[in-house]
Amino acid sequence: RIDEMSYSALDYSLHAMFINAGESSRDLKNTVKKLVEAGVPTFKMFTIYPGVRIEDSDILKIMEAAKQEGALCGFHAESNAIADFMTKKLLDEGKTDWENFNKAKPNACEAEAVNRIITFSELLDAPVYFYHLTTKEAIELVRQAKKRGVKVQAETCSHYLTLTEEKNKGENGIDYLMSPPLRTEEDRKAMWEGIKDGTISLVTSDNEVFTRKIKEKDLEEDKRTKEKIANFSTPVNGIPGLEERFGLLMMGVNRGDISLNKLVEVSSTNPAKVFGCYPKKGSLAVGSDADIVIVDPKKTVSLVRENLHYPSELDYDLYEGFTSKGWPVCTIRRGEILVEDGEFKGKRKTGKFLKCSLKPR
């Protein structure tokens, strides 16, 4: 992965993914130690999905080894048992439309897994991180855990701040399939409250660019009409959002949901702190990298494909009708201009690997 990212004009880092704890505790400790020494102190684990789901017993082993080496375990937290049960139930009832993807992963699916990982964290006094939280229940679990002194941090994504499950209804509902799924208006508002009170530390994009063709590739065809048959359990799911994230947060600023300072905190400063590259990144202090985004607060941009830079094959707009007042006009990396007035001026292979560390500097 580091080799792949070396083509970038941006500086880069990564997380290590665990799907098991290995054969012995000694091997595990050595693996964790080597990762930390290599500048990769942040890990990701899935509590769901065949092939990547990790057993609870292995999670505990990895969390303990990570704590000893000053590493951070992060989780895609959804209950495999609840999702499997609900998916089978809905399919048996003939409920296959796109909106049933959300019903197959109800709020309890996320809350159960979040509660379980928080319990492990409290037991071991080990820090944990949650990727892309979506539900009011999960946010409240994190909020209360923080009050008890549990070492827990969490993020949400810009799409959970702006879109709701209504988008999954109808023939274009497949475009909005992602994991975890979109939620209710009440959940959406809870995400903003979590940002405001500090329960949520980061807002990320969880960017996954899949065309409609890719999403539909495993669907069966109606033999008569040759049209794809809706089945919520089949498509590849995930949505783009990398470039829209700033604009969606800026809309929150203009509505008064958050301050401009909070936007910088959840999109720049906190990511650098949480993942171990602060104050080199995420700061404008003397000695920090001169990474600066200059924003024209009056420039308005509609968040549709023609104004963004996704592959031309992307064949749908997720944020039609969303307009950001305030848009980047210059992006600077380590003092060098990468983009100015929409023109890319950087060079490939000029990005550097960030050797991160969570140990006190």
Side-chain angles (χ1 to χ4, degrees):
R1 291 300 187 195
I2 290 174
D3 287 344
E4 288 174 354
M5 286 187 282
S6 69
Y7 286 85
S8 175
L10 294 173
D11 294 342
Y12 52 91
S13 189
L14 45 74
H15 307 297
M17 180 176 157
F18 280 86
I19 57 174
N20 60 59
E23 296 297 323
S24 71
S25 58
R26 178 179 293 179
D27 288 345
L28 175 61
K29 289 177 182 178
N30 286 339
T31 296
V32 171
K33 191 173 189 296
K34 286 179 180 178
L35 285 167
V36 171
E37 289 175 348
V40 184
T42 51
F43 309 151
K44 185 171 185 179
M45 288 172 269
F46 287 77
T47 62
I48 192 172
Y49 304 132
V52 296
R53 181 174 68 88
I54 187 166
E55 296 294 336
D56 286 353
S57 56
D58 282 352
I59 290 174
L60 288 162
K61 293 173 186 175
I62 294 166
M63 284 176 64
E64 185 173 51
K67 176 188 173 182
Q68 292 171 357
E69 293 296 332
L72 174 66
C73 292
F75 296 89
H76 175 125
E78 294 183 284
S79 169
N80 194 71
I82 291 175
D84 277 356
F85 173 79
M86 291 301 298
T87 298
K88 186 175 187 306
K89 183 176 186 296
L90 289 162
L91 293 176
D92 286 347
E93 294 171 355
K95 297 176 179 177
T96 61
D97 289 343
W98 308 126
E99 62 195 86
N100 289 291
F101 182 82
N102 310 60
K103 296 173 183 176
K105 292 182 170 184
N107 284 30
C109 184
E110 181 173 274
E112 187 281 328
V114 168
N115 186 59
R116 185 169 12 123
I117 298 301
I118 287 175
T119 301
F120 294 171
S121 173
E122 205 160 7
L123 173 70
L124 298 175
D125 189 30
V128 292
Y129 182 83
F130 290 109
Y131 297 97
H132 46 58
L133 293 188
T134 67
T135 65
K136 60 184 185 297
E137 292 88 351
I139 297 305
E140 186 59 25
L141 284 165
V142 172
R143 183 179 287 117
Q144 295 305 320
K146 282 177 173 283
K147 289 179 180 177
R148 298 196 305 274
V150 181
K151 298 169 183 173
V152 56
Q153 299 176 92
E155 68 175 51
T156 191
C157 302
S158 44
H159 39 281
Y160 302 124
L161 292 168
T162 52
L163 305 173
T164 64
E165 61 188 4
E166 294 297 312
K167 290 289 187 181
N168 290 114
K169 294 181 178 179
E171 64 176 320
N172 293 325
I174 187 174
D175 296 339
Y176 293 87
L177 292 189
M178 68 201 74
S179 291
L182 293 173
R183 304 294 183 183
T184 66
E185 178 67 8
E186 188 178 358
D187 292 304
R188 189 191 70 81
K189 290 179 178 177
M191 297 304 108
W192 284 107
E193 288 301 319
I195 293 171
K196 284 190 277 190
D197 70 12
T199 302
I200 294 173
S201 301
L202 276 71
V203 176
T204 62
S205 68
D206 203 17
N207 183 71
E208 292 185 284
V209 183
F210 299 122
T211 63
R212 174 74 79 90
K213 184 178 180 180
I214 292 173
K215 287 195 170 194
E216 291 182 341
K217 69 182 180 66
D218 295 324
L219 295 176
E220 293 184 4
E221 278 189 356
D222 185 304
K223 292 180 181 179
R224 182 176 58 85
T225 65
K226 301 299 181 183
E227 292 181 355
K228 298 288 187 177
I229 301 171
N231 183 336
F232 73 84
S233 68
T234 302
V236 174
N237 57 87
I239 63 168
L242 185 64
E243 196 169 1
E244 296 94 329
R245 182 186 66 145
F246 177 85
L248 295 171
L249 284 171
M250 198 69 200
M251 289 173 67
V253 171
N254 290 324
R255 285 193 307 266
D257 291 330
I258 57 171
S259 67
L260 197 55
N261 282 6
K262 179 63 79 170
L263 182 155
V264 174
E265 181 184 326
V266 298
S267 62
S268 180
T269 305
N270 281 353
K273 288 180 176 179
V274 171
F275 298 130
C277 55
Y278 184 88
K280 184 179 181 66
K281 301 294 187 183
S283 173
L284 290 178
V286 173
S288 298
D289 285 351
D291 292 348
I292 303 167
V293 175
I294 300 173
V295 174
D296 179 348
K298 295 182 180 179
K299 184 174 182 177
T300 59
V301 173
S302 179
L303 302 180
V304 292
R305 282 171 292 163
E306 63 188 77
N307 295 327
L308 304 174
H309 297 84
Y310 292 113
S312 59
E313 294 83 5
L314 187 64
D315 45 4
Y316 54 89
D317 282 313
L318 293 173
Y319 294 103
E320 192 169 359
F322 287 73
T323 298
S324 173
K325 184 182 178 183
W327 195 253
V329 293
C330 187
T331 302
I332 301 168
R333 181 224 58 204
R334 286 186 269 112
E336 296 180 20
I337 293 174
L338 293 187
V339 181
E340 188 171 21
D341 294 327
E343 181 184 352
F344 178 66
K345 297 184 175 181
K347 293 181 180 178
R348 281 198 173 276
K349 296 189 176 184
T350 56
K352 294 181 179 180
F353 173 69
L354 296 170
K355 189 172 181 180
C356 298
S357 175
L358 298 177
K359 295 177 180 177
R361 297 176 186 269

